[in-house]
Amino acid sequence: DSYGPQLKYKFTESASVLVTGINPGKRSVSIAVLDGTKIVPVGNVTIPPHKPIPQPGSIVETRYLHMFYGGSLFQPFYLGEREDLDASACTVKQLKYVRHEVI
C-alpha cells in the first residue's frame, strides 16, 4: 500500500534547556533558556514513560520544529538529560525562530 513516491521529512533542531519545574499530575516539565542572566520560559516537554523525570535545575536536550518569537518551542520532544554541560550552554542564541505574520 503506497501513496506515491513522496516522503515527508520534518526539519528539526536541537537545544539544551533548563528544567524549571515538574508539572503536577503529568509526565512533563517546564523548560527555559538563558538570555544573559534572565531566565526565559520556552514551554513544556513531555517525558516518555521509559525515562525518569528530570529534576528542576537539570539540563536536558530537546528536539523541536521551531521557536515562536515571544512564545515557546513548537512540538518539543525530550531526548534525555545532559550531564556534560552547565547552565551557560542553555542560551536563547541556540534557538531557531520562525515568524508568523497575522493577515
Side-chain angles (χ1 to χ4, degrees):
D1 294 317
S2 176
Y3 296 102
Q6 302 87 358
L7 295 174
K8 181 178 180 181
Y9 289 99
K10 292 183 178 181
F11 294 101
T12 60
E13 300 292 339
S14 177
S16 299
V17 296
L18 295 166
V19 174
T20 56
I22 298 172
N23 297 320
K26 299 181 179 182
R27 287 196 56 85
S28 67
V29 294
S30 301
I31 53 177
V33 292
L34 298 174
D35 187 3
T37 58
K38 181 182 174 189
I39 295 175
V40 179
V42 292
N44 300 296
V45 64
T46 299
I47 309 302
H50 64 283
K51 302 231 180 175
I53 296 176
Q55 295 301 306
S58 300
I59 298 170
V60 299
E61 193 71 14
T62 58
R63 184 175 63 222
Y64 64 98
L65 289 180
H66 52 262
M67 173 75 181
F68 291 112
Y69 280 100
S72 59
L73 297 179
F74 186 69
Q75 294 185 0
F77 181 81
Y78 178 79
L79 297 174
E81 281 196 60
R82 297 288 306 259
E83 295 184 11
D84 59 329
L85 299 175
D86 62 18
S88 66
C90 304
T91 65
V92 72
K93 291 180 182 180
Q94 69 182 319
L95 301 177
K96 305 290 187 211
Y97 288 87
V98 67
R99 291 185 192 262
H100 281 267
E101 295 183 20
V102 178
I103 299 175

